[in-house]
């Protein structure tokens, strides 16, 4: 088995590793396999690789990236060849309609339909839940395959003799087990965890998994399985994983409290000591990183840390942004050398998402005016509510600023959205359904009224949108 896991301090280190990975000899008709966390990470990495691979020179950055199969963590099952996406009877799309048939034909589940607001909504919600169980609780699903209504076993639920001390489902949750059993009988094929456990076949020659904060227990099991598969030449698949762990001091502190090895079982969760060295806010931010470090240790995996060489100038931050980055990475909080007029970090407070989009647009125009070397492709907009913010951003950034000597329109590409947001028709349908079932908030109303399909159908121009905005405010 060839599985290696490494910690990197930031995503920048992924570029060098990806270049080295793509430089390995490979069959001309075989695509390189790279697994990334999001669509945005894929776009960024492809752009960075194009600057390094096949470019005329380092300054032109005119290269291309081809023959690379970029995928996401959920596609690990496809890499081990357990089932093709379009043929999977357990896919969320097919599972939704199977659950829908069960709900409609079984009066016992009418309460689920009433709770969700309709049979289709209930079926989709339950199918999503079962899909998450397949991915995050494979041990529980394997027990359900044996008709045992139990929870997922953990390390603390294993007896001294090595047997499982199974914890039964609460009576209020038994309906999930019973409904899953009906879906399993209707599909009449092993569930994804059972299928992946017994898979045998050819695997790729190498896979690079990069940019993730951590790995779930099921992902670790899939990567172990992938590393045991052989390619067409009979060689084992070389799996290399790069996990982002920005704080080396916290990593070393957490190594002092690693759990015992419990192969096959996830460990009990540990509380993070907020009194550890460094900023307590940073410690809470990295909770997912800490849980991943404990999980890897419980499975007998010890990642190596790729240290970044720093010069003396980098050790003394000159901007507030550099100081914040040093606080996260080294646990050192110092603003002694930061100028009082520093603008590397600016904070605006806005009353709603629409105003945030307006302020962001104005701030970008200000930055482009005062930084001549700044280009639109250098700007990244990050939001925890990107699906809700997207219509506001599109409405604001679609406006053209015209004047005597200028005609400005900032380009905008929104990534990291699901298929419902990518498809214009599906996006409008979701917004309408949300509006019907809500209290008709301003944001929900604008999501429908300012949608470009609605605007095109009713010939609504920018002046009308501005009048609506003024009336609302």
């Amino acid at each position: 088995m060839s599985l290696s896991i490494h910690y990197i301090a930031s995503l920048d280190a992924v570029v060098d590793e990806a270049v080295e990975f793509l430089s390995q000899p490979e069959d001309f008709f075989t695509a390189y396999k790279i697994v990334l966390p999001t669509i945005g990470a894929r776009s960024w990495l492809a752009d960075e690789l194009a600057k390094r691979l096949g470019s005329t020179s380092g300054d032109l950055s005119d290269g291309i990236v081809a023959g690379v199969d970029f995928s996401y963590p959920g596609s690990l099952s496809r890499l081990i060849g357990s089932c093709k996406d379009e043929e999977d009877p357990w896919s969320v799309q097919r599972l939704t309609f199977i659950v829908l048939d069960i709900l409609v034909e079984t009066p016992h589940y009418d309460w689920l339909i009433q709770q969700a607001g309709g049979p289709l909504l209930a079926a989709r919600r339950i199918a999503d839940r079962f899909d998450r169980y397949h991915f995050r609780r494979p041990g529980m699903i394997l027990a359900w395959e044996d008709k045992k209504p139990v929870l997922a076993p953990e390390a603390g639920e294993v007896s001294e003799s090595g047997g499982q001390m199974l914890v039964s489902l609460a009576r209020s949750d038994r309906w999930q087990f019973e409904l899953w059993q009906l879906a399993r009988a209707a599909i009449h094929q092993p569930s994804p965890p059972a299928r992946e456990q017994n898979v045998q076949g050819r695997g790729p020659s190498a896979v690079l998994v990069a940019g993730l904060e951590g790995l779930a227990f099921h992902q670790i099991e899939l990567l172990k399985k992938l590393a045991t598969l052989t390619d067409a030449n009979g060689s084992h698949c070389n799996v290399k994983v790069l996990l982002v762990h920005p704080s080396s001091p916290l990593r070393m502190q957490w190594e002092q409290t690693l759990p015992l090895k419990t192969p096959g079982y996830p460990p009990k969760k540990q509380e993070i000591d907020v009194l550890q060295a460094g900023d307590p806010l940073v410690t809470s931010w990295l909770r997912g990183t800490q849980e991943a470090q404990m999980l890897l240790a419980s499975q007998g995996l010890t990642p190596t840390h790729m240290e970044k060489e720093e010069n003396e100038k980098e050790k003394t931050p000159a901007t507030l942004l550099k100081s914040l980055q040093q606080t996260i990475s080294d646990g050192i909080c110092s603003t002694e050398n930061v100028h009082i007029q520093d603008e590397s970090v600016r904070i605006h407070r806005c009353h709603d998402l629409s105003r945030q989009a307006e302020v962001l647009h104005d701030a970008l125009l200000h930055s482009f005016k005062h930084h001549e070397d700044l280009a639109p492709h250098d700007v990244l907009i990050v939001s925890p509510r990107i699906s809700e913010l997207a219509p506001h951003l599109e409405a604001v950034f679609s406006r053209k600023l015209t004047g005597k000597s200028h005609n400005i329109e900032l380009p905008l590409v929104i990534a990291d959205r699901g298929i419902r947001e990518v498809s214009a028709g599906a996006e409008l349908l979701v917004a309408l359904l949300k509006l019907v079932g809500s209290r008709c908030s301003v944001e929900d109303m604008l999501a429908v009224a300012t949608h470009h399909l609605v605007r095109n159908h009713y010939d609504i121009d920018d002046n009308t949108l501005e009048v609506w905005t003024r009336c609302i405010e």
Side-chain angles (χ1 to χ4, degrees), residues 398-463:
S398 63
R399 302 173 188 172
K400 292 184 180 180
L401 303 179
T402 58
K404 295 182 179 180
S405 60
H406 64 268
N407 188 3
I408 302 174
E409 181 179 5
L410 296 182
L412 175 70
V413 177
I414 299 179
D416 290 354
R417 291 193 292 176
I419 186 62
R420 292 178 298 179
E421 289 80 20
V422 174
S423 170
E427 179 185 26
L428 179 58
L429 176 60
V430 170
L432 279 170
L433 293 175
K434 182 179 179 181
L435 182 62
V436 172
S438 69
R439 301 181 65 180
C440 297
S441 66
V442 173
E443 293 179 0
D444 293 339
M445 289 288 294
L446 286 178
V448 175
T450 61
H451 194 279
H452 69 89
L453 292 181
V454 177
R455 293 182 58 182
N456 293 339
H457 182 75
Y458 291 103
D459 196 21
I460 301 173
D461 55 15
D462 291 341
N463 293 330

Side-chain angles (χ1 to χ4, degrees), residues 346-420:
R346 302 184 67 182
I347 300 175
H348 302 269
R349 297 182 64 183
C350 307
H351 55 81
D352 60 11
L353 292 177
S354 177
R355 184 56 184 162
Q356 288 184 27
E358 295 277 1
V359 172
L360 174 61
H361 188 265
D362 294 342
L364 289 178
L365 290 176
H366 175 81
S367 298
F368 285 127
K369 181 178 179 181
H370 289 81
H371 301 280
E372 297 181 356
D373 58 341
L374 183 64
H377 67 266
D378 296 325
V379 178
L380 174 66
I381 301 173
V382 181
S383 171
R385 301 166 61 187
I386 189 63
S387 297
E388 301 174 39
L389 183 61
H392 300 284
L393 291 174
E394 291 170 338
V396 171
F397 280 72
S398 63
R399 302 173 188 172
K400 292 184 180 180
L401 303 179
T402 58
K404 295 182 179 180
S405 60
H406 64 268
N407 188 3
I408 302 174
E409 181 179 5
L410 296 182
L412 175 70
V413 177
I414 299 179
D416 290 354
R417 291 193 292 176
I419 186 62
R420 292 178 298 179

Side-chain angles (χ1 to χ4, degrees), residues 225-267:
K225 185 67 177 180
L226 183 61
T228 62
L229 299 180
T230 57
D231 59 12
N233 298 322
S235 302
H236 284 288
C237 177
N238 182 22
V239 182
K240 188 172 187 178
V241 182
L242 304 177
L243 300 178
V244 178
H245 199 313
S247 178
S248 184
L250 283 177
R251 173 182 59 83
M252 291 186 288
Q253 288 187 28
W254 292 336
E255 286 177 351
Q256 307 303 317
T257 58
L258 293 179
L260 299 175
K261 293 182 181 180
T262 55
Y265 300 96

Side-chain angles (χ1 to χ4, degrees), residues 132-143:
R132 288 195 298 270
Y133 286 168
H134 295 159
F135 182 74
R136 298 189 178 278
R137 299 187 176 186
M140 181 179 72
I141 295 299
L142 291 174

Side-chain angles (χ1 to χ4, degrees), residues 107-175:
H108 177 66
Y109 296 115
D110 287 345
W111 67 276
L112 289 172
I113 297 176
Q114 295 174 2
Q115 189 180 68
L120 183 58
L121 293 175
R124 180 67 183 190
R125 181 181 299 177
I126 294 170
D128 284 338
R129 178 178 297 185
F130 286 165
D131 186 64
R132 288 195 298 270
Y133 286 168
H134 295 159
F135 182 74
R136 298 189 178 278
R137 299 187 176 186
M140 181 179 72
I141 295 299
L142 291 174
W144 287 11
E145 283 272 5
D146 295 333
K147 304 187 184 305
K148 298 177 182 177
V150 297
L151 292 171
E154 294 185 346
E157 297 160 2
V158 180
S159 63
E160 295 180 359
S161 61
Q164 295 181 9
M165 294 166 25
L166 300 179
V167 179
S168 298
L169 285 172
R171 292 190 62 182
S172 59
D173 295 328
R174 282 291 294 264
W175 67 268

